């Protein structure tokens, strides 16, 4: 099977997804951007593609448009499956339109849709674009049930909308609950936290992540609990100042770490917290649950809404609600039996969210679209 892939950025998740598909198929990936301003360069370099990658050549007239050479390659065919990662740019919309006009098998990949975003004056234009795109007759690959429901709401044909397990994990990345105690003891010892309960948050230090809420909620947490916030970014100084004003001594801010470095902290963690104002998923939930961590997320993180049942794997709290967050953290950290039960439930819930299952699901979908067994 020959697969064409067009994306904004070859992020680690997308690279590993295509690596898995390329094991038995031919994949050519075109990308619009080679960097993201708020990301550490090491994040992008973490995964190496095992497939052909090419930058999209831009028009000499406008950087927002693709060159004739690139559009000619798109129109020339030669692929069985065309995956367009999102529909947010004029280039992607033009490619989708051109391919559908030729009756190609076009799959629009949607990691997520922010269904909670406040309406703005220009949203009627965006809605018009969405409706045209979703009613185009394309297939849709959705990373969540919420995204699938939104696609159908905007006019996508229900039988052409498919949900897949959105993930950043290989099967081997997921530990069993029975392994947690040993790994946790060793990791805490190396971190010097063997007598404390460890709470972890991972993400860029940007306003969207709302770590100010987490820091405020952490005030008055007992000394036998320790908070790590890992990520680095523009808000670091404001977080440091806030911690100093509140007199918080049992917390530490750490800069960006690669997944291998983060494993130590995920293994040590008794609880993972993500306070983001919005996430179209939030793969850190997967990564925390893979290391048997109970999780707390906000009601505007798709990953939290779809992965967490209150009181089972953790809790979902309102965005910005410091009191609810403090209460949820206190409940989990003060109740050892509840915490152990949540660790086990989190480990079991995430077991199906693997690249192996993701690949099998996509190959099943593509074969069905091509009329193959």
């Amino acid at each position: 099977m020959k697969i064409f892939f067009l994306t904004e950025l070859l992020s680690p998740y997308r690279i590993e997804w295509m690596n898995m598909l390329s094991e038995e198929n031919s994949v050519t990936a075109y990308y619009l951007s080679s960097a993201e301003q708020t990301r550490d360069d090491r994040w992008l370099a973490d995964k190496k593609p095992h497939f052909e990658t090419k930058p999209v050549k831009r028009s000499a007239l406008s950087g927002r448009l693709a060159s004739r050479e690139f559009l000619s390659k798109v129109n020339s065919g030669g692929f069985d499956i065309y995956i367009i990662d999102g529909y947010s740019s004029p280039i992607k919309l033009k490619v989708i339109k051109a391919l559908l006009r030729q009756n190609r098998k076009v799959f629009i990949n949607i990691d997520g849709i922010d269904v909670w975003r406040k309406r703005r004056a220009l949203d009627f234009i965006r809605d018009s674009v969405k409706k045209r795109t979703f009613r185009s007759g394309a297939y849709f690959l959705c990373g969540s049930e919420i995204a699938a429901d939104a696609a159908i709401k905007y006019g996508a044909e229900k039988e052409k909308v498919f949900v897949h397990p959105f993930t950043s994990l290989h099967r081997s990345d997921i530990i069993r609950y029975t392994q947690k105690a040993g790994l946790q003891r060793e990791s805490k010892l190396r971190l010097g936290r063997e007598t404390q309960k460890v709470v972890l948050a991972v993400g860029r230090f940007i306003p969207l992540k709302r770590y100010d809420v987490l820091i405020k909620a952490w005030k008055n947490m007992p000394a036998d609990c320790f908070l790590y916030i890992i990520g680095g970014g523009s808000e670091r100084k404001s977080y440091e100042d806030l911690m100093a004003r509140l007199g918080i001594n049992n917390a530490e801010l750490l800069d960006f770490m690669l997944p291998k470095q983060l494993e130590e902290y995920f293994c040590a963690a008794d609880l993972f917290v993500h306070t983001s104002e919005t996430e179209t998923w939030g793969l850190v939930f997967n990564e925390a649950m893979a290391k048997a961590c109970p999780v707390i997320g906000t009601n505007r993180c798709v990953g939290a809404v779809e992965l967490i049942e209150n009181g089972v794997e953790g809790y979902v709290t309102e965005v910005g609600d410091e009191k609810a967050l403090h209460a949820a953290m206190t409940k989990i950290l003060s109740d050892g039996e509840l915490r152990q039960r949540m660790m086990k439930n989190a480990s079991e819930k995430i077991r199906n969210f693997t690249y192996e299952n993701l690949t099998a699901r996509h190959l099943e979908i593509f074969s069905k679209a091509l009329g193959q067994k």
Side-chain angles (χ1 to χ4, degrees):
M1 192 182 299
K2 294 188 71 176
I3 300 171
F4 170 100
F5 182 55
L6 173 62
T7 187
E8 186 70 33
L9 186 72
L10 281 170
S11 61
Y13 149 72
R14 287 170 178 81
I15 288 175
E16 202 62 12
W17 172 28
M18 290 297 120
N19 277 345
M20 295 292 286
L21 284 175
S22 69
E23 286 184 1
E24 296 182 4
N25 304 279
S26 171
V27 175
T28 303
Y30 288 88
Y31 57 91
L32 297 170
S33 304
S34 58
E36 187 175 334
Q37 199 170 21
T38 63
R39 298 276 191 183
D40 189 291
D41 289 342
R42 290 173 293 164
W43 175 77
L44 278 174
D46 187 49
K47 299 288 184 184
K48 300 298 181 185
H50 304 155
F51 50 89
E52 188 175 16
T53 66
K54 297 179 180 180
V56 173
K57 290 187 177 178
R58 309 284 183 142
S59 166
L61 297 174
S62 171
R64 290 171 56 84
L65 302 175
S67 68
R68 288 185 179 179
E69 181 185 351
F70 171 72
L71 293 174
S72 176
K73 287 181 180 178
V74 171
N75 290 326
S76 65
F79 294 90
D80 303 298
I81 295 292
Y82 293 82
I83 306 172
I84 315 302
D85 189 28
Y87 52 92
S88 58
S89 73
I91 291 174
K92 291 178 184 178
L93 290 170
K94 190 173 183 66
V95 169
I96 291 168
K97 188 176 180 180
L99 290 170
L100 288 172
R101 197 163 48 232
Q102 299 175 58
N103 294 317
R104 307 289 185 189
K105 298 296 182 183
V106 179
F107 290 81
I108 300 175
N109 182 62
I110 304 173
D111 287 347
I113 293 177
D114 184 0
V115 295
W116 300 287
R117 187 172 62 82
K118 291 180 180 179
R119 304 289 294 171
R120 297 170 187 167
L122 292 176
D123 275 350
F124 72 94
I125 297 175
R126 294 190 182 95
D127 285 348
S128 176
V129 172
K130 278 184 182 178
K131 286 175 182 175
R132 284 201 303 272
T133 304
F134 285 104
R135 293 173 182 173
S136 65
Y139 295 87
F140 291 87
L141 303 171
C142 300
S144 66
E145 294 288 350
I146 289 173
D149 290 343
I152 294 167
K153 176 186 173 183
Y154 276 105
E157 299 171 41
K158 190 174 182 179
E159 63 275 13
K160 289 187 174 182
V161 176
F162 301 95
V163 179
H164 57 81
F166 191 51
T167 191
S168 56
L169 303 168
H170 284 282
R171 194 173 290 144
S172 58
D173 294 324
I174 303 173
I175 68 169
R176 297 198 173 275
Y177 163 70
T178 52
Q179 298 174 274
K180 177 72 175 184
L183 291 170
Q184 187 173 48
R185 185 167 51 251
E186 293 168 7
S187 292
K188 283 188 175 184
L189 189 63
R190 284 191 289 269
L191 294 173
R193 302 294 169 199
E194 58 267 34
T195 62
Q196 292 174 296
K197 300 181 189 77
V198 172
V199 177
L200 177 65
V202 178
R204 291 166 289 166
F205 295 173
I206 57 176
L208 179 77
K209 301 300 181 181
R210 297 304 307 271
Y211 289 134
D212 59 315
V213 174
L214 174 55
I215 292 168
K216 290 173 185 175
W218 191 254
K219 185 184 179 182
N220 299 325
M221 290 297 286
D224 68 344
C225 297
F226 194 89
L227 171 65
Y228 287 107
I229 307 178
I230 303 175
S234 61
E235 294 297 299
R236 181 176 184 123
K237 180 65 167 57
S238 68
Y239 296 157
E240 289 172 340
D241 292 345
L242 179 58
M243 288 165 62
R245 285 199 306 273
L246 296 175
I248 293 173
N249 299 312
N250 56 338
E252 186 176 3
L253 301 173
L254 297 173
D255 285 332
F256 171 84
M257 293 184 189
L258 290 168
K260 284 294 180 187
Q261 298 169 291
L262 281 172
E263 271 193 30
E264 185 87 277
Y265 293 85
F266 279 123
C267 287
D270 293 275
L271 171 63
F272 178 81
V273 180
H274 197 60
T275 50
S276 190
E277 191 169 298
T278 184
E279 294 280 4
T280 54
W281 183 267
L283 286 168
V284 285
F285 289 115
N286 302 52
E287 291 154 14
M289 293 169 77
K291 297 300 184 275
C293 295
V295 284
I296 297 175
T298 71
N299 61 330
R300 291 187 181 176
C301 293
V302 172
V305 173
E306 296 215 351
L307 291 174
I308 304 170
E309 182 180 347
N310 274 321
V312 180
E313 296 86 14
Y315 293 103
V316 177
T317 61
E318 292 276 341
V319 171
D321 192 333
E322 298 161 22
K323 289 182 179 179
L325 178 56
H326 180 88
M329 290 191 295
T330 300
K331 187 170 181 62
I332 293 172
L333 294 173
S334 63
D335 188 335
E337 187 178 327
L338 173 66
R339 192 165 63 253
Q340 291 299 318
R341 190 163 63 247
M342 286 181 169
M343 285 179 175
K344 183 177 181 181
N345 293 337
S347 176
E348 291 175 353
K349 171 66 77 67
I350 209 65
R351 199 150 295 279
N352 290 325
F353 288 77
T354 65
Y355 283 123
E356 289 82 0
N357 288 348
L358 175 70
T359 304
R361 175 64 172 150
H362 281 114
L363 292 176
E364 174 194 355
I365 293 166
F366 299 155
S367 296
K368 182 178 180 180
L370 293 170
Q372 299 172 349
K373 291 185 179 180

